[in-house]
């Protein structure tokens, strides 16, 4: 019954509101549809990213040399994996450097911990780090994509609702001022009720959206930090093997 009454009140308020207020309500509903579509899509995207990132990390973990997985997979990984994209770009540059030094892939496939690595110069390591940081920046942008638009929608909804309310109340007071009837309250009250509807709708959209936005933001930060950490660990791993004093030139 309370839900029925609430629904009835909303429909009555909508029916008594002005065309301007009805337009604001329709705009808010359209904004709500877009916001929830974005939330559902982004939530699924982040879930897939997190799962694939974890799988990729497990595949790489424990290998004697960071290039072994790249060689085994022939440089091909499923799309939509931030750390795989960073890893692939770094490995492309890394293998290009080694080929110029005459190093073949079997030497890396059979590499064992403690073996002397092909020594890389500081310039070559710097170029690898530049590639890693550049690709990392691109992946962070993809991870954070649509979050700013979602934040805009979440913050715009109550403001748009307030605009509709102010506009409706302004119209109601103008009607009150122009009315000489003793029944002006009965004439104006429905208009005010209709005007307040836009604020109610705006808040109903904004409140759950804000909560879910913060949940998604935490997931974005988690995946971003994991990707940043992976990138740093990858470069550190290559440097540890290929810039040690025991490496060959």
């Amino acid at each position: 019954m309370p839900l029925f009454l609430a629904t009835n009140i909303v429909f009555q308020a909508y029916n008594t509101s002005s065309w301007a207020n009805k337009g604001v309500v329709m705009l808010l509903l359209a904004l709500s549809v877009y916001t929830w579509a974005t939330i559902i899509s982004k939530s699924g995207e982040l879930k897939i990213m997190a799962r694939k990132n974890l799988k990729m990390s497990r595949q790489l973990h424990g290998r004697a040399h960071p290039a072994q997985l790249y060689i085994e997979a022939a440089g091909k990984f499923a799309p939509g994996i931030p750390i795989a994209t960073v890893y692939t770009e770094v490995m492309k540059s890394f293998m290009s450097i080694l080929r110029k030094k005459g190093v073949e892939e079997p030497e890396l496939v059979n590499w064992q911990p403690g073996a002397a690595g092909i020594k890389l110069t500081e310039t070559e390591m710097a170029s690898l780090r530049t590639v890693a940081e550049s690709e990392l920046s691109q992946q962070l942008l993809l991870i954070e994509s649509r979050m700013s638009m979602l934040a805009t929608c979440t913050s715009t909804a109550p403001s748009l609702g307030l605009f509709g309310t102010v506009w409706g109340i302004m119209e109601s007071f103008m009607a009150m001022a122009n009315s000489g009837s003793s029944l002006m309250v009965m004439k104006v009250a429905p208009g005010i009720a209709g005007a307040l509807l836009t604020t109610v709708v705006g808040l109903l959209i904004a409140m759950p959206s804000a909560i879910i936005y913060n949940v998604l933001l935490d997931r974005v930060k988690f995946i971003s930090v994991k990707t940043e950490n992976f990138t740093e660990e990858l470069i550190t791993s290559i440097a540890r093997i290929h810039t040690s004093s025991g490496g060959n030139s």
Side-chain angles (χ1 to χ4, degrees):
M1 183 63 70
L3 180 60
F4 173 77
L5 290 176
T7 304
N8 189 44
I9 290 172
V10 168
F11 276 113
Q12 286 185 10
Y14 178 80
N15 290 331
T16 57
S17 61
S18 66
W19 285 108
N21 285 101
K22 288 180 179 178
V24 172
V25 171
M26 290 295 101
L27 184 59
L28 283 169
L29 292 177
L31 184 63
S32 176
V33 171
Y34 174 81
T35 300
W36 281 101
T38 303
I39 286 173
I40 294 171
S41 174
K42 189 64 181 179
S43 178
E45 177 185 316
L46 292 175
K47 186 177 181 180
I48 292 172
M49 276 187 182
R51 185 177 70 247
K52 289 185 175 181
N53 262 1
L54 179 60
K55 183 178 179 180
M56 175 74 181
S57 296
R58 288 175 175 173
Q59 288 177 335
L60 190 60
H61 180 70
R63 293 181 184 268
H65 194 285
Q68 290 174 345
L69 178 61
Y70 178 81
I71 296 170
E72 179 183 315
K76 297 179 180 179
F77 299 94
I81 313 175
I83 66 173
T85 305
V86 173
Y87 174 74
T88 300
E89 292 304 312
V90 171
M91 285 298 110
K92 283 181 181 178
S93 298
F94 174 70
M95 297 303 296
S96 176
I97 292 172
L98 292 191
R99 289 190 188 100
K100 292 178 182 178
K101 294 177 178 289
V103 179
E104 300 297 330
E105 291 183 355
E107 294 184 45
L108 298 178
V109 172
N110 300 320
W111 190 90
Q112 295 297 325
I118 304 301
K119 190 173 183 180
L120 302 184
T121 65
E122 291 184 4
T123 301
E124 289 167 338
M125 280 305 306
S127 68
L128 287 179
R129 182 172 290 277
T130 299
V131 170
E133 291 176 349
S134 175
E135 191 58 42
L136 173 62
S137 298
Q138 293 296 323
Q139 291 306 305
L140 293 180
L141 288 176
L142 290 176
I143 294 170
E144 297 169 4
S145 65
R146 294 185 290 170
M147 290 301 291
S148 58
M149 181 59 70
L150 185 56
T152 300
C153 292
T154 301
S155 60
T156 299
S159 299
L160 188 58
L162 181 60
F163 166 77
T165 295
V166 172
W167 183 270
I169 291 177
M170 181 179 67
E171 288 183 331
S172 297
F173 277 118
M174 289 177 64
M176 185 183 295
N178 294 330
S179 176
S181 173
S182 59
L183 299 177
M184 64 179 179
V185 174
M186 295 179 63
K187 293 181 178 179
V188 172
I192 295 178
L196 292 173
L197 176 63
T198 58
T199 295
V200 173
V201 174
L203 291 175
L204 288 176
I205 294 171
M207 288 188 293
S209 299
I211 294 172
I212 297 176
Y213 169 80
N214 288 323
V215 173
L216 293 181
L217 189 60
D218 286 340
R219 292 183 184 176
V220 166
K221 290 179 180 178
F222 176 82
I223 297 173
S224 297
V225 169
K226 287 290 185 181
T227 306
E228 290 172 350
N229 290 344
F230 171 85
T231 303
E232 185 60 34
E233 289 169 4
L234 177 62
I235 294 299
T236 300
S237 177
I238 295 173
R240 184 175 63 251
I241 297 171
H242 294 281
T243 62
S244 63
S245 58
N248 298 325
S249 3

